[in-house]
Amino acid sequence: MNNDSNQIDILLTRRKTGQFLSDRELVDLQPTNRDLSTVKGLDNLAQAIINRLITRQGELAALGHPNYGSRLYKLVGEQNNQRSQALAELYIRECLAQESRISEVLEIIFATPRTVFERNTLKITINIKTVGIDTPSPLSIALNLNL
């Protein structure tokens, strides 16, 4: 079984769970001690998942990755309702099937909007089973539908 838990990548700001995925212009490199910070393990996987989810499917076709990304961008401008949640779940499952470090998407849970602001935000918890790790890993993200 392939275990990529030692994979290391450059740490990006605004690529942590619970932050708005639509805030693309705020992504930046994170310097530490005059060098670039790195991320590994489950934090690396979380960052990779968020990058994959926020990238529009087909956006990297010119670089040789035509299927990389998701169709979540199609939900921008929609309200947080059952239809949007069902489409988001479909898009998330289809996107995460591309990630070789995920053995199974166990469940996708959407928080019920409680305020006017949350009507334009999908708050999502994704429980995944990671290759080589027996314990399920939760990932919480927020997708701003306003941008």
Side-chain angles (χ1 to χ4, degrees), residues 42-122:
L42 289 176
D43 291 334
N44 174 284
L45 178 58
Q47 179 175 287
I49 289 170
I50 291 170
N51 285 339
R52 191 178 288 275
L53 288 171
I54 192 62
T55 302
R56 293 177 179 215
Q57 190 172 48
E59 191 171 9
L60 300 180
L63 300 175
H65 303 283
N67 297 319
Y68 183 90
S70 78
R71 295 190 292 161
L72 284 172
Y73 71 92
K74 292 183 174 191
L75 298 177
V76 172
E78 300 289 332
Q79 292 290 312
N80 181 356
N81 55 35
Q82 286 183 330
R83 179 186 173 277
S84 295
Q85 291 175 7
L87 285 170
E89 180 169 355
L90 172 69
Y91 298 159
I92 291 167
R93 287 185 182 278
E94 151 185 294
C95 176
L96 296 185
Q98 302 171 29
E99 178 56 63
S100 63
R101 293 177 282 176
I102 297 174
S103 60
E104 183 180 1
V105 177
L106 299 171
E107 63 182 342
I108 299 174
I109 303 165
F110 295 90
T112 303
R114 299 184 191 278
T115 66
V116 173
F117 173 74
E118 290 179 350
R119 284 189 294 173
N120 297 315
T121 305
L122 288 175

